[in-house]
Amino acid sequence: MERIDVMLEPVRVFLAQLADLLPRLGLALLVLVVGYFIARGVKFVIIKALRAGNFHVLSDRAGIDGFLRDGGVAADTTEILAMLCYWIVILAALVVGFNGLGLNYITDLLVRVLLFVPKVIVAVVILAFGAYFARFLGNALCAYAKKLQLQDAELLGKLAQYAIVTFVVLIALDQMNIGGDIVRQTFLIVLAGVVFALALAFGIGGKDWAAELLERWWPRNNRKP
């Protein structure tokens, strides 16, 4: 009899663990199902709210939606932001579910991903508003340069736009903690190299070229005496 009890002991332990696991597994599945429907509702609300606020117009004028279309991405910036919010809810539900099952390693990994997604959302918003501001400022500078009858007005506008976009991209990368000091130092080195090259061109070997360029941009008959 004792031998039978010894043989059945692993079975009893397994059944006890299974009886303890099944309620938690059922609760985790319920959390995932509820989280899925909440995530879909959040996605729907975010899309409606952003489109009501004409965020899609801003992102399209900023050139981000066109860039996504050229890259083969069917979704626009509004849908991408809504999808990121959708995954925040899904990941939160997964964290609750796995935490209830006692899977701490998976829970810690999902928490790290969950904390990273809001940074991506902020970076996308920064890119959208920054690109829109860059295009607006570039067009304004181009119009002002044309008013001054500068022949390379469009080039000046594009340079200003690209410079601002580069700065905005660096801010977005810094927001996501990507690159960090390496990206910033590389940008400063490249910028310093460009400025140094221009200084050499204008100050040492390019006086005639600089004078010709100045004459093209600002003819003598337009200068004040």
Side-chain angles (χ1 to χ4, degrees), residues 72-151:
V73 179
D76 59 5
T77 309
T78 300
E79 293 173 345
I80 290 176
L81 287 175
M83 183 60 66
L84 290 173
C85 294
Y86 168 88
W87 279 109
I88 286 179
V89 179
I90 293 294
L91 288 172
L94 288 173
V95 168
V96 174
F98 283 114
N99 188 53
L101 294 174
L103 301 175
N104 296 327
Y105 178 77
I106 299 178
T107 301
D108 293 339
L109 180 62
L110 290 176
V111 167
R112 293 181 182 180
V113 178
L114 180 61
L115 294 176
F116 180 73
V117 175
K119 296 181 180 180
V120 177
I121 294 177
V122 175
V124 172
V125 174
I126 290 174
L127 285 175
F129 281 95
Y132 179 79
F133 176 74
R135 175 167 289 192
F136 171 79
L137 191 61
N139 292 335
L141 180 60
C142 180
Y144 181 74
K146 287 182 178 179
K147 185 177 180 180
L148 295 178
Q149 298 182 359
L150 302 182
Q151 296 184 10

Side-chain angles (χ1 to χ4, degrees), residues 8-22:
L8 292 178
E9 184 63 24
V11 178
R12 293 194 187 99
V13 173
F14 172 76
L15 292 176
Q17 292 177 347
L18 184 62
D20 180 63
L21 177 63
L22 287 178

Side-chain angles (χ1 to χ4, degrees), residues 126-127 130-135 158-174 178 183-184 186-191 194:
I126 290 174
L127 285 175
Y132 179 79
F133 176 74
R135 175 167 289 192
K158 288 296 182 182
L159 288 175
Q161 179 181 346
Y162 293 151
I164 296 174
V165 168
T166 302
F167 182 69
V168 169
V169 170
L170 289 176
I171 295 177
L173 291 176
D174 185 69
I178 296 176
V183 175
R184 289 191 292 270
T186 302
F187 173 73
L188 291 176
I189 291 173
V190 173
L191 181 62
V194 172

Side-chain angles (χ1 to χ4, degrees), residues 6 46 65 82 92 112 123 155 158 174-175 193 208-209 214:
V6 172
I46 293 296
D65 291 346
R112 293 181 182 180
L155 176 61
K158 288 296 182 182
D174 185 69
Q175 172 64 33
D208 295 336
W209 174 78
L214 181 62

